Amino acid sequence: MSSSDARLSHLMAVLQGRRFRLTPQRLAILRLVARSDGHPSIEEIYEHLREDFPTMSIATVYKTVTLLKELGEVLELSFPEEGVKRYDGAKPYPHPHLICVRCRKILDPDLGSLTPLVETAARRTGFRILSHRLDLYGLCPECQAREQGGEDAPPAHGTETDGNRLPIRLSGDCAPPHAPGDGAEPTPWRRP
Amino acid sequence: MSSSDARLSHLMAVLQGRRFRLTPQRLAILRLVARSDGHPSIEEIYEHLREDFPTMSIATVYKTVTLLKELGEVLELSFPEEGVKRYDGAKPYPHPHLICVRCRKILDPDLGSLTPLVETAARRTGFRILSHRLDLYGLCPECQAREQGGEDAPPAHGTETDGNRLPIRLSGDCAPPHAPGDGAEPTPWRRP
DNA sequence: TCCTTATAGAAAACTATTATCCTATGAAAT
DNA sequence: ATTTCATAGGATAATAGTTTTCTATAAGGA
Ligand SMILES: [Mn+2]
Ligand SMILES: [Mn+2]
Ligand SMILES: [Zn+2]
Ligand SMILES: [Zn+2]
C-alpha cells in the first residue's frame, strides 16, 4: 500500500466520520490531493478532473479543497508570484518548500528541524509560536545546467504562464527579491 | 539622524539618481515606506496620505511602491490570510517575520543567520538558493495575556477585517495551519 | 424505495491589483 | 518668457482568483 493510498483512506475516513457526503467528484479530488505531486493548484486539479467529469464546476474544486483545509487535512501555500494557491494534502502540517524560480517545480526538502529556530524566536520575543512557513527560492539542478549551456530549452514542468526567465544572480543569505520575476535592474541590496 | 531618516535620504537619492521625479506625493510615500512601522499595506499608506493629499489616487500609491520594488528598495510581503500585500522599505532584503495571528502586528525578529539552513538545503538538493522567506505565526505577549484573562478586549493593532479569534493551540514545530483563521475544528495533525 | 438535506453546477458577486486614458506638471530647449 | 515633451497623477475600466448565491440533484440513512 503506497503512502498516498494510506493518505486517501485517511481522508475518506475523515469526511465520512464527519458525516460529509463522499460524492464521486469529492473522491476524485481526494485522490489527487492525497498524492499532491508538485503541489497542485485549484486550476490544475480542475483540469485533470474534467477529463472524468466534463460537467464539473471549478467552484466544486474550490469548495472541496477549502473543506479539507478547514479540517486540517491539507496545507495551503499561496504563491503570489504566479497568482495562485497550491495545496499539499500529503503533508498537511507546516514544512519547508524549495521552489525553482525558472521551471516552478516545488519540492519538500528534508532539512533539519526548525524547532531551535522557533524556540529562539519565542525566547527573544515572548511570542508563542503556533505555525510557520519557510520557502527557499532558487534554481534546480536541471535549470542551472540549462542556464549556463544554451540559453534556450523550455522549462520542464507543466503550466507556465509566460516567460519566467530569471535575473541570474547568486547569493547565500541576502538574495534577490521574494518574487524574482522580471524585475528591471540587478537590485543591489545593502545590509544595514 | 534616525535610521529611517538615513533610509529616506537613500531612497530620495536613488530616485533622483535614476532621473525619476521627486513629486510631493512620492516624497510622502517615501517617508512612510522608509519608516515602515508594522509593514504598511497599500491601503494603509493611502489612508495616511489622503490627510495631506485629499485628491490622491490609490493608483499613485500602487505605482510608486511598485517602482520602489522594481528598484530593489522595498521588500514585498504577501499575506493571503488578510488578502493584502505589505511592504518593508526599511529592510528591503529577505528577512524573517513574526506575525501575531490575533492583533496582526508584524515584527522583524533578530534570529540567527539562516545561512546554515540554506546551505544544507543547497547541498542536499543541488539547488542554487537565490532568495527565501520565513514567517513565524503566533501570539504576541499582549495577546497571550488577553487570551487567558477575559476572553474579550479588542485587538490592539489597526484594521482587522472581522473576528480573528484563534483556535487556542500551542505547538513547537508541528502546529496549526498556516492561515490559523476561523477553522472549524482543532486540526489534529499527524506526522508521517 | 422514500425522505431529508448536503452537495454540484452555473452564474453572479467580490476584491486586490493592474492597465488604460487623459490631463497636469515641470524641466529643458528655444 | 514661451514652447516642447516626456513624466507623473487622477479617474476609471479591466483583470483574475476566489467566494457566494441559488436551484436541481443525488447521497445516505430510515
Ligand atoms: Mn509540501
Ligand atoms: Mn520586515
Ligand atoms: Zn527548474
Ligand atoms: Zn497580538
Side-chain angles (χ1 to χ4, degrees):
Chain A
M1 183 189 226
S2 82
S3 162
S4 74
D5 285 342
R7 187 79 194 128
L8 174 60
S9 306
H10 173 75
L11 294 178
M12 292 172 63
V14 166
L15 284 196
Q16 292 180 317
R18 302 293 190 101
R19 297 295 136 80
F20 290 110
R21 290 179 186 171
L22 200 46
T23 65
Q25 293 90 333
R26 278 185 175 170
L27 188 55
I29 293 173
L30 291 199
R31 255 191 282 268
L32 275 189
V33 160
R35 193 173 322 112
S36 285
D37 299 316
H39 304 76
S41 66
I42 296 288
E43 187 70 34
E44 288 169 356
I45 297 173
Y46 174 61
E47 289 304 326
H48 272 122
L49 263 52
R50 59 189 317 188
E51 298 173 4
D52 294 297
F53 302 86
T55 77
M56 174 177 291
S57 166
I58 197 170
T60 299
V61 184
Y62 273 106
K63 283 184 277 200
T64 297
V65 173
T66 299
L67 173 62
L68 290 174
K69 179 182 62 173
E70 287 170 351
L71 294 174
E73 296 296 339
V74 118
L75 180 69
E76 183 178 70
L77 299 169
S78 183
F79 289 99
E81 313 93 81
E82 52 176 352
V84 295
K85 295 177 180 175
R86 299 188 163 274
Y87 297 88
D88 189 335
K91 301 167 69 177
Y93 45 85
H95 59 277
H97 287 93
L98 195 49
I99 302 105
C100 178
V101 298
R102 194 185 212 240
C103 68
R104 300 303 307 182
K105 82 176 55 149
I106 300 176
L107 302 176
D108 291 342
D110 185 18
L111 310 180
S113 170
L114 294 185
T115 303
L117 198 72
V118 166
E119 286 179 351
T120 298
R123 194 177 332 110
R124 294 189 186 178
T125 64
F127 267 61
R128 183 196 303 162
I129 309 297
L130 301 170
S131 180
H132 58 82
R133 176 168 176 184
L134 172 60
D135 288 340
L136 303 180
Y137 291 85
L139 273 180
C140 73
E142 296 76 25
C143 287
Q144 287 179 50
R146 193 182 300 128
E147 199 69 15
Q148 61 153 357
E151 210 59 47
D152 44 271
H157 198 251
T159 324
E160 190 168 24
T161 0
D162 56 6
N164 259 20
R165 308 296 154 249
L166 79 167
I168 320 174
R169 303 192 85 257
L170 62 161
S171 175
D173 194 28
C174 170
H178 187 244
D182 29 26
E185 280 74 47
T187 64
W189 285 336
R190 287 147 304 287
R191 285 275 195 175
Chain B
M1 182 188 228
S2 83
S3 162
S4 74
D5 286 342
R7 188 77 192 129
L8 175 60
S9 306
H10 173 75
L11 294 178
M12 292 172 62
V14 167
L15 284 196
Q16 291 180 317
R18 301 294 190 104
R19 295 295 135 80
F20 290 110
R21 292 180 189 167
L22 200 45
T23 65
Q25 292 92 332
R26 279 184 174 169
L27 187 56
I29 294 174
L30 291 200
R31 255 191 281 267
L32 276 188
V33 160
R35 194 172 321 112
S36 285
D37 298 317
H39 304 76
S41 66
I42 296 288
E43 188 71 33
E44 289 170 355
I45 297 174
Y46 174 60
E47 289 303 328
H48 273 122
L49 263 52
R50 60 189 316 187
E51 298 173 5
D52 293 298
F53 302 86
T55 78
M56 174 178 289
S57 166
I58 197 170
T60 299
V61 184
Y62 272 107
K63 282 187 271 200
T64 298
V65 173
T66 298
L67 173 62
L68 290 173
K69 179 181 62 173
E70 287 170 351
L71 293 174
E73 295 297 338
V74 117
L75 181 69
E76 184 178 69
L77 299 169
S78 184
F79 288 99
E81 312 95 78
E82 51 177 353
V84 293
K85 295 178 179 174
R86 299 187 163 275
Y87 297 87
D88 190 335
K91 300 167 67 177
Y93 44 86
H95 59 278
H97 287 94
L98 195 49
I99 302 105
C100 178
V101 299
R102 195 184 210 241
C103 67
R104 300 303 306 181
K105 82 177 54 148
I106 301 176
L107 274 54
D108 291 343
D110 185 18
L111 311 179
S113 170
L114 295 183
T115 304
L117 198 73
V118 167
E119 286 180 351
T120 299
R123 195 178 331 110
R124 294 190 186 176
T125 65
F127 267 60
R128 183 196 304 164
I129 309 297
L130 301 171
S131 179
H132 58 81
R133 176 169 176 182
L134 171 61
D135 289 339
L136 304 180
Y137 291 86
L139 274 180
C140 73
E142 295 75 27
C143 287
Q144 287 179 52
R146 192 182 301 130
E147 199 69 17
Q148 62 154 358
E151 210 59 47
D152 44 270
H157 199 249
T159 324
E160 189 168 25
T161 359
D162 55 7
N164 258 20
R165 309 296 152 248
L166 79 168
I168 320 176
R169 303 193 83 257
L170 62 162
S171 174
D173 196 26
C174 170
H178 186 245
D182 28 27
E185 281 73 47
T187 63
W189 284 338
R190 287 146 306 284
R191 285 276 196 174

